[in-house]
Amino acid sequence: MFRVLTTVAASPCRAAAGRALAPGTSSAAVAALAAGAPAALRRSCLGKQLASESRGPAVAASLPLSSIAPTPLAAWMQARFGGSWKRTGPVQNSNQVFAPYPLVPYGVKRSDAYRTAKKAARKAAERARRAVEEKGMILDPKKQLRMELKRNTGIGWTRSLTIIKHLEMHERGKGPPIDQAVREKITRIARVVRMGH
């Protein structure tokens, strides 16, 4: 089942646990690490570990890394723990705001029904934006005011920066709190900027 190499380290058990244990670790720690290993493998490895520790941990610790050969315990540990440290604790969720787009097959994307549905969705979103804009400029910044200014008709990337410079704020800033006075001020500035001044 395991492939045994001809060059074996002076302390095979410490060599097996070398990826997970520091030099000088007691045999109790090695036993705890190998607790889930098969019984025959655990007996052979722990017996060699005890003999190695009777000579002193300095012998095993002084071995170069190139002389440590893979042993059955090392192979079992890597297979058991997926070749990496075992993760413990709760999984941290990312701060992703938007759900990822669903995967659409290529054949579906090319179909006429899909294309017309996408066109209709874009036109509906445009109509909804214009309906909101009839009540006044769209000013509800989430992260920066410039992106919200761009949603208004006739204001693109360059004009939004011009409006922000008129407001004397940082181009990436969220902007002042939007109340009625600020809204009227931005509307006046936007009217002048749209004329090309």
Side-chain angles (χ1 to χ4, degrees), residues 113-132:
Y114 182 82
R115 288 184 178 183
T116 54
K118 292 293 270 187
K119 282 180 189 175
R122 281 196 298 269
K123 287 191 180 289
E126 172 75 9
R127 281 194 304 271
R129 184 186 63 77
R130 286 189 186 270
V132 171

Side-chain angles (χ1 to χ4, degrees), residues 4 8 21-22 24 45 54-55 59 62 93 98 159 170 186 190 192:
V4 179
V8 179
L21 298 177
C45 189
S54 66
R55 291 193 303 263
V59 174
S62 64
N93 293 329
F98 302 107
R159 287 180 176 172
H170 194 277
I186 293 175
V192 172

Side-chain angles (χ1 to χ4, degrees), residues 127-159:
R127 281 194 304 271
R129 184 186 63 77
R130 286 189 186 270
V132 171
E133 197 177 352
E134 281 179 6
K135 299 172 187 170
M137 283 188 70
I138 301 173
L139 297 173
D140 185 24
K142 293 169 184 65
K143 292 190 176 178
Q144 53 177 301
L145 182 61
R146 189 174 186 183
M147 293 299 153
E148 201 65 13
L149 287 170
K150 281 177 54 190
R151 291 184 63 203
N152 293 282
T153 306
I155 300 174
W157 184 251
T158 308
R159 287 180 176 172

